[in-house]
Amino acid sequence: MQEGSGGTLIERVDVAPGYRLEDYAEYNYLAPQVADLEAAAREAVPRLAGRKIWIVSSTRQGGGVAEGMPRVVSLMRQLGLPVEWVVIHSPDPAFFPLTKRLHNQLHGMGRLGLGRGDRELYDAVSDRLADALANEIGSRDILIVHDPQPLGTGARIKKKRGIPAIWRCHIGVDGTTPASEEAWQFLAADASAYDRSVFTLADYVPPFLSAAATIMTPGIDPLTHKNRELSVHKTSGVLVDAALAATVHPTLAPPFAAQALRLQADGGFRPAVFPEDLGLLFRPIVTQVSRWDRLKGFGPLLDAFVLLKERRQARTRDSRHQLCIDHARLVFAGPDPSGVQDDPEAVETLADLCRRWSGLPAGLQHEIAILKLPMTSVKENALMVNALQRCSTIVVQNSLREGFGLTVAEAMWKALPVMGGAAAGIRAQVADGITGRLVDDPANPKAVADTLDAMFVDHKEREVWGRNARDRVSRAFLIFEEVRRWLQLLATLAR
Ligand code: UDP
């Protein structure tokens, strides 16, 4: 792969084979979906003979796109397709801030004013990256490009090599805003160069792409470290190894190489057992796991939790409900920003949240934990997320905008009650009052506090939502269905 002045421009990502299809099929509840996928592969794979599939994205870790990729790649390979996954690195430090801006605008947010300088930057970087990658790609290969960062790169490769190409866009807003319209204008020429585009929801497709758009939701892998079953002992072992819980007992495994870090009163971060154990195994816990992105609604969730605690005097309901809220703790967990290359706003968003936390009285600081989860080991990071979700009474995803929201499917799969901001991607997963609860206005702390409060009232209801949620994910949002749809689409394109 080509070296640029800033280092490697195109990085080939190694993907461990992980679980085999036979391993999944051993679980009775997964066997039918594996069989459907294998049947689809028998149809599609021969039609793709002699073609390599190139997947291009912008980060190997952090966020939903990177999350699913290794499993999609591994399953496609097992089914007989040669697949390469590469990530782009920008030779210009201004490129990812620009694409983050486009990301926000496609979600309908952010300021207007994309200008000539932005155009020149986007085109120059896309030209360079396309030059670095195009010659690696065979004349019969197929290109799948994810999101706006490598969109221009893929469009140029498509033109140079004349190969079939698909753009997979994970972002979107239901309806348009001036911000989203400006971003679509900026990207229109490149997006139109592809044979097909793939969107998560029909509502996200801009009119100029609608004639050649496919709708596909992502899926989660039920056996990865993020989603596999964890016994109570395993969960507590992970918490202790990650410094998320203290113990006087011996554990089976040594401490993780890099432990979870928690914001401290002095503004620094220390292992999360400081200044004292969080109570994850004993207290009612409300958790949000996300990248540090403003659109995830951290600020209003923090304010809502404070409101919930402060309303104490006014509450007249039964004492168990009151105790639940008195003892509850809120946990924000996200990746250490240094581990996510294409998200330049993460440092600032986390710093903002930390500042808000520092302004709280000491008693409330005690009840709200801001955690940085290291990304040095993907496995350990995934186990931390898994254990944190499993310790939760309620999992929240208070997103103002959300393309899909894998964290929602991950929690639903664990049969946990989810409270989601009513962003389109979350609405597609959570049916209000059936598989969890939705807040119409996640930017409004009072609305969020009211919904959390109501969710604390009845543990039987939470149990029903959680069970229904698992059933829903099992039917619609497992990775087998996603890969099956990809095979069909690729085969259509090859024809
Ligand atoms: N995630 C993670 N470690 C973290 C925080 C988040 O592995 O410290 C994962 C999370 O479990 C989920 C993904 O990052 O799989 C986030 O995907 P989602 O679709 O929810 O949002 P996106 O980041 O794509 O906007």
Side-chain angles (χ1 to χ4, degrees):
M1 296 272 143
Q2 177 167 326
E3 295 286 319
S5 56
T8 306
L9 291 178
I10 304 290
E11 177 193 358
R12 205 179 286 237
V13 185
D14 280 336
V15 174
Y19 279 103
R20 294 165 309 154
L21 281 159
E22 307 88 273
D23 299 326
Y24 295 102
E26 278 180 16
Y27 293 82
N28 288 344
Y29 62 91
L30 300 177
Q33 298 204 35
V34 173
D36 284 352
L37 174 57
E38 287 173 326
R42 281 193 291 278
E43 286 266 306
V45 173
R47 290 205 234 148
L48 292 160
R51 297 178 186 268
K52 189 187 266 191
I53 313 299
W54 289 83
I55 298 179
V56 186
S57 68
S58 61
T59 184
R60 56 188 299 164
Q61 60 183 17
V65 179
E67 175 74 20
M69 207 71 84
R71 304 309 306 139
V72 171
V73 170
S74 168
L75 287 179
M76 283 182 173
R77 285 179 180 163
Q78 289 183 48
L79 291 164
L81 290 181
V83 181
E84 283 291 350
W85 174 24
V86 295
V87 297
I88 57 166
H89 291 270
S90 169
D92 187 324
F95 181 70
F96 285 129
L98 168 61
T99 58
K100 178 73 189 188
R101 180 170 174 194
L102 290 166
H103 169 107
N104 289 341
Q105 287 194 221
L106 289 182
H107 273 313
M109 310 289 267
R111 66 201 152 85
L112 296 176
L114 290 163
R116 207 151 91 216
D118 299 313
R119 173 86 272 149
E120 284 166 8
L121 170 64
Y122 189 82
D123 287 346
V125 172
S126 301
D127 285 343
R128 258 231 32 231
L129 294 172
D131 287 345
L133 182 57
N135 291 334
E136 306 279 330
I137 296 180
S139 58
R140 301 194 68 238
D141 294 354
I142 301 182
L143 198 57
I144 301 176
V145 173
H146 287 260
D147 276 347
Q149 300 92 331
L151 170 74
T153 307
R156 285 156 179 77
I157 294 173
K158 157 104 192 143
K159 281 181 198 146
K160 275 178 203 270
R161 309 301 316 264
I163 53 171
I166 303 170
W167 182 47
R168 179 26 168 145
C169 180
H170 296 264
I171 313 165
V173 58
D174 41 341
T176 54
T177 71
S180 67
E181 275 179 10
E182 188 188 63
W184 279 123
Q185 270 172 24
F186 188 92
L187 297 173
D190 286 332
S192 304
Y194 289 73
D195 299 285
R196 286 208 80 80
S197 52
V198 176
F199 287 85
T200 304
L201 300 179
D203 283 343
Y204 296 167
V205 184
F208 73 93
L209 291 176
S210 63
T214 299
I215 306 305
M216 196 189 295
T217 47
I220 61 163
D221 182 331
L223 298 189
T224 51
H225 292 294
K226 176 80 50 77
N227 297 314
R228 70 184 173 91
E229 300 297 330
L230 296 180
S231 66
V232 173
H233 282 80
K234 178 76 184 169
T235 304
S236 36
V238 169
L239 294 179
V240 169
D241 292 338
L244 287 163
T247 185
V248 293
H249 299 286
T251 54
L252 291 179
F256 289 166
Q259 298 187 309
L261 300 175
R262 175 179 175 188
L263 179 62
Q264 305 289 314
D266 64 5
F269 277 84
R270 292 187 71 193
V273 282
F274 293 102
E276 37 82 75
D277 183 78
L278 271 164
L280 291 171
L281 289 165
F282 299 98
R283 290 173 176 271
I285 299 292
V286 178
T287 309
Q288 173 159 309
V289 176
S290 286
R291 284 180 303 104
W292 306 106
D293 181 322
R294 276 178 221 295
L295 298 181
K296 303 292 182 184
F298 294 108
L301 177 57
L302 180 92
D303 293 345
F305 194 75
V306 169
L307 207 61
L308 192 65
K309 289 279 182 178
E310 285 175 346
R311 266 185 200 166
R312 165 162 231 296
Q313 318 306 345
R315 193 171 289 107
T316 54
R317 298 216 196 92
D318 68 85
S319 61
R320 193 184 161 95
H321 174 230
Q322 181 59 60
L323 272 179
C324 236
I325 290 170
D326 282 351
H327 293 179
R329 288 194 163 167
L330 173 64
V331 175
F332 289 112
D336 189 332
S338 58
V340 185
Q341 72 142 357
D342 68 342
D343 195 358
E345 282 176 16
V347 171
E348 203 183 302
T349 306
L350 175 59
D352 257 8
L353 185 65
C354 294
R355 262 192 301 277
R356 290 172 87 142
W357 181 91
S358 299
L360 294 173
L364 279 168
Q365 288 183 352
H366 228 62
E367 322 225 285
I368 300 172
I370 297 178
L371 304 177
K372 277 201 296 199
L373 307 183
M375 300 295 287
T376 32
S377 157
V378 173
K379 172 181 170 185
E380 290 175 359
N381 180 280
L383 283 170
M384 289 184 214
V385 172
N386 191 341
L388 278 171
Q389 287 173 332
R390 285 184 195 280
C391 290
S392 306
T393 314
I394 298 168
V395 171
V396 176
Q397 190 57 58
N398 193 47
S399 305
L400 313 181
R401 296 282 196 274
E402 192 65 77
F404 181 68
L406 279 176
T407 48
V408 172
E410 288 160 6
M412 289 171 71
W413 176 248
K414 296 174 182 98
L416 294 162
V418 175
M419 192 204 80
I426 298 180
R427 277 205 317 271
Q429 300 180 70
V430 176
D432 193 32
I434 299 171
T435 56
R437 291 298 316 275
L438 291 173
V439 187
D440 282 337
D441 185 3
N444 174 357
K446 181 173 176 308
V448 177
D450 288 348
T451 311
L452 276 178
D453 198 346
M455 287 183 84
F456 269 123
V457 170
D458 191 341
H459 69 92
K460 284 201 201 104
E461 223 166 21
R462 292 200 302 270
E463 164 86 19
V464 172
W465 294 331
R467 291 285 148 195
N468 289 346
R470 179 168 169 112
D471 185 53
R472 168 101 174 108
V473 173
S474 175
R475 287 165 200 273
F477 305 127
L478 291 184
I479 196 170
F480 314 106
E481 175 61 11
E482 184 190 359
V483 175
R484 194 180 69 78
R485 300 285 314 279
W486 271 120
L487 293 184
Q488 286 176 337
L489 182 58
L490 288 166
T492 312
L493 214 68
R495 207 171 14 177

